[in-house]
Amino acid sequence: QVELLESGGGSVQAGGSLKLSCAVSKYPSTWKTMAWFRQVPGKERERIASLFWEGGGASYYADSVKGRFTISQDNAKNTVFLQMNSLKPDDTAMYFCAACPGPLDLCQFMQQYIYWGQGTQVTVSS
């Protein structure tokens, strides 16, 4: 059974930083892209960053986080990270990591991601 387990969420003041981790229990050879999504109540889950696991660093960032967030991987530990700097109250959300069996440009929508973590809450106060 494949499991994704997020950690690193918490409460921080605006301007602060957090680093989220997503530990993958098993990495099937079919996985190609890992991503971080976030969701606030009443809104659709939003893809904010994704990384082509085998792609030498190919990545995507939503405009809302570009320049502040960085997605990275540790292949040896089967872990994906999301470094979040200069946090804003608008970043408050539940953050999820997810895996998609396609390349980066074909993994744009949440319906394409087949494995999900349980989420970790990030709260940014002003």
Side-chain angles (χ1 to χ4, degrees):
Q1 179 70 22
V2 176
E3 293 183 347
L4 281 65
L5 183 63
E6 302 98 336
S7 62
S11 297
V12 66
Q13 289 192 325
S17 298
L18 285 173
K19 187 173 184 177
L20 306 184
S21 299
C22 175
V24 180
S25 64
K26 185 171 67 175
Y27 172 49
S29 60
T30 52
W31 288 11
K32 300 296 184 184
T33 296
M34 297 293 295
W36 287 94
F37 287 75
R38 67 185 182 188
Q39 188 171 28
V40 297
K43 290 192 177 181
E44 191 171 300
R45 197 168 291 189
E46 171 194 18
R47 182 174 64 119
I48 56 171
S50 52
L51 179 70
F52 187 36
W53 187 271
E54 300 177 359
S59 59
Y60 158 88
Y61 294 95
D63 288 343
S64 57
V65 306
K66 199 172 294 182
R68 301 187 297 121
F69 291 11
T70 303
I71 187 171
S72 61
Q73 65 191 93
D74 183 334
N75 288 1
K77 297 182 179 179
N78 276 2
T79 302
V80 178
F81 303 100
L82 185 69
Q83 177 67 48
M84 306 186 295
N85 299 328
S86 302
L87 283 161
K88 306 174 182 179
D90 284 349
D91 295 318
T92 295
M94 185 71 78
Y95 284 70
F96 301 88
C97 68
C100 174
L104 191 69
D105 57 346
L106 297 182
C107 293
Q108 300 182 38
F109 306 107
M110 62 175 290
Q111 294 81 357
Q112 297 165 309
Y113 287 78
I114 59 174
Y115 293 110
W116 290 85
Q118 84 292 344
T120 185
Q121 177 68 36
V122 171
T123 302
V124 184
S125 58
S126 57

